[in-house]
Amino acid sequence: MASGTAKLDQASKKKGWFPDSLVLIFSLIIVAQILSYIIPSGEFERTPAPFAAGRDMVVPNSYKALETAPTLDPWHFLAAIPRGLEAAQEIIFLVFLVGGVIALLRTSGAIDAILFRAVRTFGGSPAILIGGTLTLFGLGAFTIGMGEEYMPLIPILVTMCLAMKLDSIVAMGILWSSYGVGWATAGTNPFGVLIAQNIAGLPPTSGLWFRIAIFILCLLVAFQHVYAYARKITQDPSKSLVAHVDYSEGFELPSDIAFTWQRKLIMAVFGAGIIFFVYGAQNWHWYIGELNTIFLGVGVLTAIIARMDPNGAAKTFIKGAAEMTAAALLIGFARTIEVVLTDGVIIDTIINAIASLLDGTGPSVSALGMLAVQTITNFFIPSGSGQAFVTMPIMSPLAELTGVSQQTAVLAYQFGDGFTNMVVPTSALVVGTLALGKIPYVQWVKFVTPLLIKLFALAAAILIFTVHFGEYVGFAN
């Protein structure tokens, strides 16, 4: 793990020509203030939303320019940052607490044990290995937004694939396609869909069953792509995209990690907690407060079952929470962009301008336009939670103006964020994991581009479906 982290850090330095996500978002905050001096101020009329108590929705065709508007002080963007952090505090605290609990789960060995056991169990045949691990890794991303946690498994995945006459591209395809699909279709991911639904005024985990169906469809597409490539190189090894790479060293099988009864019990407690929250969210209107409570309960039970020393458990929790600092700051800074645009009274002007471009195109084209915007944004802001706070405050009212449901707007955000997570060069995780697998970025792009085309074609069809038939799958709001 230490060597993996070192390689990840080295990969991060290699992409130093591109600004860090925090630098980019801070720049966008400054741009937002500059725009407040250029863009005319204006407002829409708003009315209480029938589908979300306490939330207002835009009244179409009600935009009016303001004759007088506030002029922001030159240092306003700095004063707005603490307010952005305050506005996003609920999500920020969730990120810290979830990070701490996941660290406890990792320290207990339960997550690594079940993942390593799965890889060994599925290693009997390429089809079972690819299908089984795709499903397992995809579910981790679909439920709690796992991704970085898979990094220690890269060496064993590569080793298993090499032993089965496959290559490291297959191993990386298993990991990254499941991660991308899991994030793009997530139903309970607290770092993605739950944030976007909160901004859109939707009940948490709403539309879950349809998202599960989408998850299965996209996973089948990913399986077809990875398995077809695996069969091709099995029949002709020279067609491997990394045939020129030396894998003679660095990929030895690790010692088996025992899946003890304690670890089985910990995973059962974790699974029960997720199910309990989903049920509570759908039937008792639970949201972040209850999710924090459940995660903390899972963390305490994990420490007890694993017989962790109280001081050691506390240090592990704090370390896990500390590792989420970057994500938490990105969320608060990204939220600041909306604060500045709102203070300058120009956010409605921007929404009205985009809506005017889409006027007359119909909700289907509008939904596809949202997908395009979210996809492009992810190349600059690879943080899913950060992207949600940058784009959803604009996309949510835009959806109201163009006849697109809030659920469809959230789904467009998920697709745009999740699928491109497989390939964005601005992500240290992507570049670092490719380095661990000794895969040149260009070769990876050659492999994943056809898959992305398939997935985006399916995503476009699904978005158009929800526009016309969303009421039948819980996507009417």
Side-chain angles (χ1 to χ4, degrees), residues 320-339:
E323 291 175 351
M324 303 304 293
T325 301
L329 286 174
L330 284 174
I331 291 171
F333 274 63
R335 183 67 174 80
T336 304
I337 297 173
E338 183 191 359
V339 171

Side-chain angles (χ1 to χ4, degrees), residues 403-459:
V404 175
S405 73
Q406 293 298 314
Q407 291 284 15
T408 299
V410 170
L411 193 59
Y413 149 75
Q414 289 183 259
F415 286 154
D417 170 56
F419 292 143
T420 47
N421 278 340
M422 304 181 201
V423 73
V424 285
T426 50
S427 168
L429 186 60
V430 171
V431 177
T433 51
L434 290 178
L436 273 179
K438 295 185 179 180
I439 299 175
Y441 182 75
V442 173
Q443 301 305 104
W444 173 246
V445 171
K446 289 181 180 179
F447 169 79
V448 81
T449 297
L451 173 59
L452 289 175
I453 292 173
K454 299 172 192 176
L455 289 173
F456 273 111
L458 178 59

Side-chain angles (χ1 to χ4, degrees), residues 120 195 261 386 471:
R120 285 190 177 276
I195 294 176
W261 70 266
E471 59 189 286

